[in-house]
Amino acid sequence: MSHASAPVTAVTPGSHPLPSYLQADNLGPWGNYLQQVDRVIPHLGSLARWAETLKRPKRILVVDVPIHMDDGTVAHFEGYRVQHNVSRGPGKGGVRFHQDVTLSEVMALSAWMSIKNAAVNVPYGGAKGGVRVDPKTLSRGELERVTRRYTSEIGIIIGPNKDIPAPDVNTNEQIMAWMMDTYSMNTGSTATGVVTGKPVDLGGSLGRREATGRGVFTVGVEAAKHIELDIPTARVAVQGFGNVGGVAGKLFAEAGARVVAVQDHGGTIYREAGLDVPALLRHVAETGSVGGFAQAEVIANDKFWDVDCDILIPAALEQQITKDNAGRIKARMIIEGANGPTTPEADDILQERNVLVLPDVIANAGGVTVSYFEWVQDFSSFFWDEAEINARLVRIMKEAFAGVWLVAQDHKVSLRTATFIVACKRILHTRELRGLYP
Ligand SMILES: NC(=O)C1=CN([C@@H]2O[C@H](COP(=O)(O)OP(=O)(O)OC[C@H]3O[C@@H](n4cnc5c(N)ncnc54)[C@H](O)[C@@H]3O)[C@@H](O)[C@H]2O)C=CC1
Ligand SMILES: O=C(O)CCC(=O)C(=O)O
């Protein structure tokens, strides 16, 4: 068929077909997000008439990131920045470097940022970015060149008042420093507020590195009270032992819990008596993975889901808890450190089995909450001490979680749908106040 005669979807008044990249039935994380939105719509009252806006990212940028490799060749990487919603303020959300990252995945991650930011009521919309690259295969120089070129390419849509990136999987303080420097070079003045999660010596905030794990721990302790789960005697299993999982595991261990199993990209380890978490963190810092940790038994990766535990913390990637393993999970409570680790089908199975799921959009909001503190500190050039930051973080997390808990009771819905109710009402209320014109 020639291009000229290709079928064209007719657009009639009142019919608004979705753009092609939003149409497929099975879009992985984006498809999961859409199902989560469908579940909240019946609870939005008159604001439901604006709900379509939640299903369409505001702005999507796909960029080519060409760099010189150390061997003199030129390599091209695919980069994305998606601003899902900016009704409540500038876009805000991390940047992921991963070989499998896709546009629809970044769309979902940006949408969950909109929900999360509204759930804890920080004045941001939602955004996320990614580069399709395995940073472990790059030299330090190559990693810096990828970061700087990506930052220049997305420079047209980011900025301290437009969209503020931060760390996510495989990105860290050094990468944020390069991003800040590149943006500042391109705009002609030092703009510390363009990214958060920077080194403290460069306008970063005390407590940001630990903030997501601390938030996971805080909501976990609060939720445990509701189901009479005793933290000092609890057994915890953690998937992903990086920024989020490592800190959450450490805080649970310090509270007396036994971290019995940990899985990361390098394998799965188990110790019924509890792993020595500080020693494991040192091992990961030295070797890059939990693999090879001497004081533990190695188990098959799939056996992780059968581990006898009270609390499960997925803190790696999306779609880990599915209809295939949800029935095997022994935990009474799941705290989602990762974004999107549980599919909607698995959510239903877990609810049926009375497993309490603390959803990502509230449980891992500690990171962006302290990012907000960092941004505020950068604007005022006045920096707070760590005790103040942690106290404010804990207060926001506790209050947000308590509110979500009440909504879940009132509407007789899961904590995920309850968080979506709180957040979507806030987002759509601002949409309504701002209107659509022009
Ligand atoms: N860094 C942050 O402040 C925040 C991160 N998150 C989410 O938390 C999750 C983890 O992020 P970070 O800890 O920052 O990343 P990270 O890069 O520090 O750690 C990622 C961890 O996941 C593990 N992992 C990767 N692939 C795996 C696989 N196939 N199976 C098992 N483990 C695997 C890695 O080995 C590593 O331990 C992501 O979903 C991220 O979006 C959510 C909120 C904030
Ligand atoms: O700190 C931020 O701005 C966002 C962190 C993030 O990417 C997330 O919460 O998933």
Side-chain angles (χ1 to χ4, degrees):
M1 187 187 290
S2 77
H3 182 70
S5 61
V8 175
T9 312
V11 180
T12 51
S15 113
H16 307 287
L18 288 168
S20 59
Y21 51 87
L22 303 182
Q23 275 181 9
D25 286 339
N26 180 9
L27 282 168
W30 177 253
N32 294 341
Y33 164 75
L34 291 180
Q35 287 189 54
Q36 293 165 354
V37 172
D38 284 336
R39 289 174 181 204
V40 75
I41 288 174
H43 302 277
L44 295 179
S46 64
L47 287 171
R49 71 196 180 97
W50 297 99
E52 187 66 19
T53 194
L54 298 168
K55 298 187 175 183
R56 298 167 186 253
K58 167 61 70 189
R59 199 171 283 130
I60 292 177
L61 181 61
V62 181
V63 295
D64 176 36
V65 182
I67 65 150
H68 284 292
M69 302 298 279
D70 291 347
D71 66 5
T73 59
V74 173
H76 292 258
F77 301 98
E78 199 170 311
Y80 318 100
R81 186 73 188 171
V82 178
Q83 295 168 353
H84 170 260
N85 191 285
V86 289
S87 297
R88 303 181 73 253
K92 183 90 189 82
V95 172
R96 176 173 296 194
F97 285 180
H98 196 278
Q99 60 277 15
D100 298 328
V101 80
T102 63
L103 174 59
S104 71
E105 180 181 12
V106 176
M107 281 159 43
L109 291 166
S110 70
W112 286 320
M113 286 308 308
S114 301
I115 304 297
K116 185 187 309 184
N117 292 336
V120 286
N121 215 359
V122 290
Y124 295 130
K128 201 87 176 196
V131 179
R132 211 171 148 78
V133 62
D134 180 358
K136 294 184 188 67
T137 64
L138 301 182
S139 69
R140 184 179 163 91
E142 290 166 342
L143 182 62
E144 178 173 352
R145 291 196 286 281
V146 165
T147 304
R148 289 188 181 278
R149 185 63 197 241
Y150 168 70
T151 308
S152 284
E153 295 298 338
I154 65 165
I156 52 174
I157 62 167
I158 63 169
N161 290 311
K162 288 159 84 176
D163 179 1
I164 306 114
D168 190 71
V169 174
N170 290 334
T171 56
N172 56 25
E173 293 175 4
Q174 179 59 71
I175 288 173
M176 293 307 116
W178 289 329
M179 289 189 76
M180 191 281 265
D181 184 63
T182 306
Y183 180 86
S184 299
M185 283 162 55
N186 291 347
T187 54
S189 64
T190 296
T192 51
V194 69
V195 293
T196 58
K198 298 178 295 295
V200 170
D201 291 338
L202 216 59
S205 178
L206 293 167
R208 172 60 185 91
R209 193 185 306 155
E210 300 79 16
T212 310
R214 190 174 297 283
V216 164
F217 174 72
T218 303
V219 294
V221 169
E222 291 305 294
K225 293 175 191 163
H226 289 287
I227 59 169
E228 288 171 20
L229 199 166
D230 181 46
I231 299 292
T233 56
R235 294 157 306 166
V236 181
V238 188
Q239 186 198 41
F241 214 59
N243 177 282
V244 179
V247 172
K250 176 171 170 277
L251 293 175
F252 273 104
E254 284 171 2
R258 258 186 298 154
V259 177
V260 291
V262 173
Q263 177 178 90
D264 75 1
H265 71 279
T268 308
I269 57 171
Y270 177 77
R271 186 163 185 265
E272 194 184 344
L275 294 156
D276 179 343
V277 173
L280 182 59
L281 286 167
R282 281 196 299 276
H283 174 83
V284 172
E286 282 158 20
T287 68
S289 151
V290 302
F293 183 62
Q295 306 155 44
E297 186 187 326
V298 174
I299 60 171
N301 283 338
D302 188 53
K303 288 282 167 215
F304 177 78
W305 306 109
D306 299 314
V307 161
D308 249 325
C309 63
D310 305 293
I311 299 173
L312 173 66
I313 306 177
L317 300 172
E318 304 90 55
Q319 305 199 104
Q320 298 300 300
I321 305 177
T322 66
K323 64 176 171 30
D324 300 327
N325 59 13
R328 290 159 50 192
I329 289 170
K330 308 276 195 307
R332 289 178 61 201
M333 179 162 86
I334 297 177
I335 318 174
E336 293 186 339
N339 288 302
T342 311
T343 66
E345 286 164 317
D347 256 343
D348 292 343
I349 295 169
L350 293 166
Q351 198 167 4
E352 178 87 0
R353 295 184 55 226
N354 216 13
V355 178
L356 184 66
V357 178
L358 312 188
D360 48 8
V361 280
I362 189 82
N364 70 29
V368 75
T369 301
V370 176
S371 277
Y372 166 56
F373 299 162
E374 179 173 332
W375 184 72
V376 168
Q377 291 172 84
D378 285 339
F379 272 122
S380 58
S381 297
F382 178 72
F383 292 88
W384 317 342
D385 65 35
E386 193 162 357
E388 180 172 1
I389 286 159
N390 288 343
R392 285 178 190 254
L393 166 66
V394 167
R395 193 174 75 224
I396 288 179
M397 295 301 293
K398 281 187 179 175
E399 283 177 9
F401 181 70
V404 162
W405 185 271
L406 287 179
V407 171
Q409 307 298 309
D410 281 357
H411 287 256
K412 299 191 176 16
V413 293
S414 68
L415 290 172
R416 192 182 314 282
T417 299
T419 312
F420 269 68
I421 292 174
V422 171
C424 294
K425 281 187 173 174
R426 286 186 179 143
I427 296 167
L428 299 180
H429 179 57
T430 56
R431 177 69 279 154
E432 186 166 66
L433 287 173
R434 291 179 67 157
L436 290 177
Y437 189 82

